[in-house]
């Protein structure tokens, strides 16, 4: 009861903030607390000429760090919001007023257990960037290295926990009162958002992500990650190599420095491919300010708080989907979705292929450089309600990342499609992982795994046989007639065991054959 009262009051304040920016439409769509929303509507600003997404972004910006992050997460949900609103939220700026350098120093000393002077010969109190969760200061270590020091905002953990409780409460309310939204899994979506935010608020996790990405590209001449200073890193402090480079979105500066924008764009496309398809681990916040071109022309990403992971099955699905769309083979697009289990089997394959064509043709009818695979994926996610598709959170994050990658590519060369640069790599990966040789290899591995499991299966069946034998012996009150004396020597459990073993072998061979 107390939780409901507390969050109702917070929802009222949230509605009033939305009303001031004439941005109540998300709450009205959700259909929760309609009387409260109607009352807040009385305070809505009139004649606001901004786009709906701009109004919503302004309201979220006003409400603080948790809501800024929520807006950025919602920018991936073109299936919930219109594409225009999602695009405006994707531009939501994660900037807040800085906290004092003295507070940053206190946090560093408390986390690292040493005075600042023992860690750095110089530390700039004025931050170079201040975002919703942390801010960044430049410094020089006692051994003479230029570093960037990221420090969490004071009290940010408690503030997020309070706001997350509100988001959970609203999601639970939506699931109880709005059956049409249950397939979108509101509570699970909030939980996924909470997991991402909690990782962002442990800077050791961000350091680990940066190091993992760096190791994945250790042999790559054109892409690298900054070096982590683990001795000066803790839960609320991250120290890493300071990058001396040009923001990847600044084409003129890249050209002036003697680098080829097309070559940089090609490295971007290849790095994205390798992260998603080779490693299944990708930088999921790759906007123009989060990557630099260093003096050697290498791309160096920064800010590893939001990373995505994709398992091998999803990678295969995505590769097949992209290649089928690029070939404009809409039946293949539909078959990929059905085979992955994303579309229920009772839906019409032909109708879904038609829906895919209605999405793809308007996009592919444009010049190559105007084709947006990210928007195509967003449109595909928008047909989820019509065909009762299950929402795939990992694809939502990937779609957002693809949109950012396209934005970077457009700034580098608006006449080149970044995905056409990656297409040969995707097709080669498909041949390697899904061609005839790879299919036979997986079948052989499946048989080998089945053979390796046989001893354990036989042991388990032996235990079942012995248990059945003991039960039969205890239950036997008199000798069986002659016609039944075969059972104790070859009991029912043994028959089941043999049949199960035969069935397992047949199933394995059948899977290999197909």
């Amino acid at each position: 009861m107390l939780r409901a009262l507390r969050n109702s009051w917070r929802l009222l304040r949230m509605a009033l903030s939305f009303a001031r920016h004439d941005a109540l439409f998300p709450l009205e769509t959700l259909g929760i607390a309609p009387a409260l929303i109607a009352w807040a509507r009385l305070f809505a600003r009139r004649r606001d000429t901004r786009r709906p997404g701009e109004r919503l972004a302004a309201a979220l910006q006003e409400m603080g760090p948790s809501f800024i992050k929520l807006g950025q997460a919602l920018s991936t949900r073109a299936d919930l919001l219109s594409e225009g609103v999602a695009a405006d939220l994707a531009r939501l700026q994660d900037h807040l007023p800085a906290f004092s350098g003295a507070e940053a120093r206190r946090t560093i000393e408390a986390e690292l257990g040493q005075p600042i002077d023992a860690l750095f010969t110089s530390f700039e109190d004025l931050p170079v960037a201040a975002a919703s969760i942390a801010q960044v200061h430049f410094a020089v270590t006692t051994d003479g290295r230029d570093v960037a020091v990221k420090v969490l905002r004071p009290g940010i953990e408690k503030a997020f926990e309070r706001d997350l409780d509100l988001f959970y409460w609203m999601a639970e309310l939506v699931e109880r009162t709005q059956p049409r939204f249950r397939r979108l899994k509101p509570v699970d979506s909030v939980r996924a958002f909470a997991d991402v935010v909690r990782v962002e608020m442990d800077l050791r996790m961000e350091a680990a992500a940066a190091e993992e990405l760096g190791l994945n590209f250790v042999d790559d001449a054109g892409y690298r990650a900054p070096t982590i200073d683990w001795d000066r890193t803790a839960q609320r402090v991250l120290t890493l190599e300071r990058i001396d480079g040009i923001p990847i979105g600044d084409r003129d500066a890249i050209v002036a420095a003697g680098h080829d924008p097309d070559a940089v764009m090609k490295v971007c496309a290849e790095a994205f491919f390798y992260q998603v398809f080779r490693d299944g681990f990708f930088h999921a916040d790759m906007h123009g300010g989060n990557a630099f071109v260093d003096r050697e022309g290498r791309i160096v990403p920064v800010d590893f708080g939001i990373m995505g992971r994709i398992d091998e099955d999803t990678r295969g699905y995505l590769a097949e989907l992209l290649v089928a769309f690029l070939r404009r083979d809409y039946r293949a697009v539909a078959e990929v979705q059905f085979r992955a289990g994303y579309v229920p089997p009772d839906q019409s394959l032909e109708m879904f292929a038609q829906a895919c064509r209605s999405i793809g043709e308007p996009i592919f009818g444009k010049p190559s450089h105007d084709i947006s695979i990210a928007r195509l994926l967003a449109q595909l996610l928008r047909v989820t309600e019509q065909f009762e598709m299950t929402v795939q959170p990992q694809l939502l994050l990937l779609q957002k990342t693809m949109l950012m990658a396209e934005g970077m590519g457009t700034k580098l060369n608006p006449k080149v499609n970044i995905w056409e640069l990656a297409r040969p790599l995707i097709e080669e990966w498909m041949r390697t992982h899904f061609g005839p040789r790879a299919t036979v290899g997986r079948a052989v591995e499946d048989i080998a795994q089945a053979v390796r499991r046989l001893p354990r299966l036989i042991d388990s069946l032996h235990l079942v046989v012995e248990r059945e034998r003991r039960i039969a012996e205890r239950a036997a009150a008199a000798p069986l007639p002659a016609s039944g004396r075969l059972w104790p020597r070859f009991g029912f459990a043994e028959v089941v065991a043999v049949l199960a073993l035969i069935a397992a072998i047949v199933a394995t061979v059948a899977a290999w054959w197909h």
Side-chain angles (χ1 to χ4, degrees):
M1 182 64 179
L2 183 61
R3 181 188 183 221
L5 289 173
R6 180 179 66 248
N7 284 318
S8 294
W9 171 246
R10 298 203 66 218
L11 178 61
L12 173 60
R13 293 175 59 189
M14 178 180 173
L16 288 173
S17 179
F18 280 20
R20 283 195 296 273
H21 293 275
D22 191 19
L24 278 167
F25 59 91
L27 296 178
E28 291 171 336
T29 300
L30 290 175
I32 56 175
L36 182 152
I37 306 303
W39 181 80
R41 171 61 66 185
L42 299 175
F43 299 88
R45 179 184 295 176
R46 307 299 179 188
R47 297 177 184 173
D48 194 322
T49 58
R50 293 175 298 176
R51 296 190 302 271
E54 291 177 323
R55 301 198 300 269
L56 179 58
L60 294 169
Q61 183 89 35
E62 177 185 278
M63 294 171 69
S66 308
F67 292 88
I68 293 172
K69 287 293 181 185
L70 179 64
Q72 291 173 331
L74 286 173
S75 70
T76 68
R77 300 305 301 266
D79 57 324
L80 287 177
L81 308 168
S82 70
E83 189 173 345
V85 171
D88 285 330
L89 290 181
R91 290 189 287 270
L92 185 60
Q93 295 299 303
D94 191 6
H95 299 308
L96 285 179
F99 55 91
S100 71
E103 186 66 54
R105 287 171 179 260
R106 282 194 291 272
T107 298
I108 293 169
E109 291 179 339
E111 286 290 303
L112 300 179
Q114 298 182 63
I116 283 285
D117 293 342
L119 298 164
F120 307 105
T121 56
S122 70
F123 181 86
E124 298 181 12
D125 282 333
L126 187 65
V128 294
S132 57
I133 286 180
Q135 63 188 35
V136 179
H137 298 257
F138 285 156
V140 179
T141 63
T142 50
D143 54 358
R145 289 177 292 109
D146 291 329
V147 294
V149 185
K150 188 172 185 177
V151 186
L152 289 187
R153 285 186 172 274
I156 191 66
E157 295 94 338
K158 290 183 179 178
F160 263 94
E161 286 299 327
R162 185 175 62 250
D163 290 339
L164 284 173
D165 184 63
L166 171 63
F167 300 157
Y168 272 120
W169 179 78
M170 291 175 60
E172 291 162 5
L173 197 59
V174 168
E175 286 200 358
R176 284 200 309 270
T177 62
Q178 301 295 324
R180 63 195 175 106
F181 288 127
R182 286 175 190 160
R183 68 177 186 84
L184 299 174
K185 303 177 182 177
V187 173
D188 288 347
S189 297
V190 173
R191 187 175 295 112
F193 170 68
D195 289 343
V196 169
V197 168
R198 289 192 180 102
V199 167
E200 282 195 82
M201 289 190 290
D202 186 342
L203 297 182
R204 296 168 300 186
M205 296 292 287
E206 181 173 342
E211 185 158 284
E212 182 178 349
L213 186 67
L215 289 173
N216 288 343
F217 283 85
V218 69
D219 297 323
D220 194 299
Y223 191 90
R224 72 179 187 90
T227 304
I228 303 299
D229 185 340
W230 284 102
D231 292 335
R232 294 173 175 82
T233 293
Q235 182 173 345
R236 308 190 81 246
V237 177
L238 166 62
T239 304
L240 70 167
E241 170 192 0
R242 177 178 173 180
I243 301 304
D244 181 16
I246 303 165
I248 202 167
D250 192 345
R251 186 181 190 279
D252 292 340
I254 288 172
V255 172
H259 304 304
D260 180 359
D262 289 351
V264 171
M265 187 175 177
K266 186 173 186 294
V267 172
C268 282
E270 292 177 350
F272 181 85
F273 163 80
Y274 288 129
Q275 288 179 51
V276 173
F277 293 102
R278 182 190 66 189
D279 307 323
F281 181 66
F282 62 94
H283 194 301
D285 196 18
M286 193 50 70
H287 58 73
N290 269 355
F292 295 85
V293 180
D294 69 11
R295 293 180 180 180
E296 288 75 32
R298 296 172 297 184
I299 296 174
V300 188
V302 297
D303 195 354
F304 306 90
I306 305 177
M307 305 294 289
R309 289 192 186 273
I310 300 182
D311 61 38
E312 190 167 359
D313 287 342
T314 305
R315 281 179 255 168
Y317 153 80
L318 185 65
E320 288 188 272
L321 184 71
L322 290 180
V323 170
F325 260 123
L326 288 170
R327 292 174 175 169
R328 299 166 84 165
D329 185 347
Y330 299 111
R331 184 175 180 85
V333 171
E335 288 172 347
V336 168
Q337 301 274 11
F338 275 78
R339 193 163 59 250
Y342 294 165
V343 182
D346 60 345
Q347 296 293 319
S348 167
L349 177 66
E350 289 73 20
M351 289 298 294
F352 189 75
Q354 184 176 340
C356 293
R357 182 179 295 277
S358 73
I359 293 167
E361 284 305 303
I363 293 174
F364 289 112
K366 297 179 179 179
S368 174
H369 57 268
D370 287 338
I371 293 174
S372 168
I373 297 296
R375 295 194 183 281
L376 184 149
L377 186 55
Q379 290 285 353
L380 185 62
L381 294 172
R382 285 183 65 82
V383 304
T384 58
E385 185 170 4
Q386 179 183 352
F387 291 94
E388 300 178 5
M389 293 171 63
T390 303
V391 173
Q392 303 298 318
Q394 74 275 26
L395 294 182
L396 295 173
L397 184 60
L398 180 64
Q399 184 267 329
K400 173 190 173 185
T401 307
M402 292 172 73
L403 192 63
M404 290 180 177
E406 287 178 345
M408 285 197 307
T410 299
K411 289 179 180 178
L412 289 168
N413 189 339
K415 299 298 183 182
V416 175
N417 186 330
I418 190 171
W419 307 123
E420 285 296 329
L421 298 176
R423 179 174 174 174
L425 294 175
I426 295 173
E427 292 182 333
E428 176 60 29
W429 187 86
M430 286 288 294
R431 282 192 294 270
T432 302
H433 289 78
F434 293 92
R437 182 175 298 179
T439 302
V440 170
R442 281 197 299 272
V444 170
E445 178 60 25
D446 288 343
I447 293 173
Q449 288 182 5
V451 171
R452 286 195 293 268
R453 287 195 295 266
L454 277 177
R456 282 179 292 175
L457 176 62
I458 292 171
D459 288 343
S460 299
L461 291 173
H462 175 70
L463 293 174
V464 172
V465 168
E466 289 301 314
R467 186 174 68 238
E468 291 293 329
R469 193 189 303 280
R470 287 195 297 270
I471 292 172
E473 288 174 352
R474 286 196 300 267
L480 288 173
S483 59
R485 284 179 184 166
L486 184 60
W487 274 131
R489 288 165 39 205
F490 196 65
F492 175 74
E494 283 128 319
V495 174
V496 172
V498 171
L499 291 176
L501 186 58
I502 293 171
I505 293 172
V506 169
T508 303
V509 172
W512 174 82
W513 181 260
H514 288 293

